[in-house]
Amino acid sequence: MSRIRRFGIMFAFACALGGASRAADTEDLDGLRGRVVYLDFWASWCEPCRHSFPWMQRMQQGYEGRGLTIIAVNLDRERADAEAFLRKFKPDFRIRFDPEGKLAERFQVRGMPTSILIDRHGVARFTRVGFRPADEPEYARRIEDLLAEQ
């Protein structure tokens, strides 16, 4: 992937975090340098998202210390719908809100959930639309592979 594409991905990502409803401070952005980022787009009405959230929680707990950051970007137009979903699942990973879909548009989200795995250098290495519990081991392997890279 070209250097311009890498910069574009991280720039779009940083802009989105900076403009999110839950403000991201410089520590939030600086903390992503050198980390593997699992960027997940979701909505409260998404049935597969009900399965992906517990899995993302396990991944966050298992791999955060090795350099994984999970950021879940909600696309609901009504914030209350997202908040009700979050009260049920109680994630401890980062949540951002994109009710206008600007970040989703930049990342060409075509279905729910859409997940993008970004390596330590800011390169999007894997994109997945949907979530199937049967594929959890494959998803975890991709994370582990990127965590092993320097």
Side-chain angles (χ1 to χ4, degrees):
M1 180 174 284
S2 74
R3 185 176 210 113
I4 294 171
R5 175 87 171 126
R6 274 194 303 256
F7 174 78
I9 287 172
M10 291 313 291
F11 179 75
F13 190 57
C15 288
L17 287 178
S21 296
R22 288 190 187 169
D25 55 23
T26 55
E27 179 182 323
D28 194 22
L29 298 176
D30 289 342
L32 297 177
R33 291 183 190 152
R35 297 186 66 80
V36 171
V37 177
Y38 186 90
L39 179 62
D40 184 75
F41 292 89
W42 65 282
S44 63
W45 49 262
C46 165
E47 187 62 34
C49 298
R50 298 179 198 289
H51 300 287
S52 67
F53 259 66
W55 178 82
M56 288 189 293
Q57 185 69 36
R58 289 192 306 275
M59 294 297 100
Q60 176 77 13
Q61 291 169 347
Y63 296 110
E64 182 177 25
R66 290 182 50 199
L68 177 66
T69 297
I70 294 181
I71 302 175
V73 180
N74 176 264
L75 298 176
D76 284 308
R77 292 194 184 274
E78 299 296 327
R79 176 85 171 247
D81 294 337
E83 294 292 349
F85 183 98
L86 293 170
R87 279 192 298 277
K88 179 177 180 184
F89 290 98
K90 299 176 179 59
D92 68 3
F93 46 84
R94 300 175 193 195
I95 304 293
R96 300 294 182 258
F97 299 93
D98 184 24
E100 296 175 11
K102 291 180 181 178
L103 183 61
E105 187 176 313
R106 287 183 187 140
F107 281 95
Q108 301 175 356
V109 171
R110 301 287 179 244
M112 290 294 148
T114 292
S115 301
I116 301 159
L117 192 55
I118 302 168
D119 71 14
R120 296 178 191 274
H121 306 286
V123 177
R125 299 275 295 273
F126 175 67
T127 300
R128 174 187 83 229
V129 178
F131 184 88
R132 293 174 5 129
D135 293 334
E136 289 178 9
E138 177 192 342
Y139 306 152
R141 182 188 53 75
R142 289 182 185 269
I143 290 171
E144 290 170 356
D145 288 349
L146 289 186
L147 289 171
E149 293 178 5
Q150 296 302 316

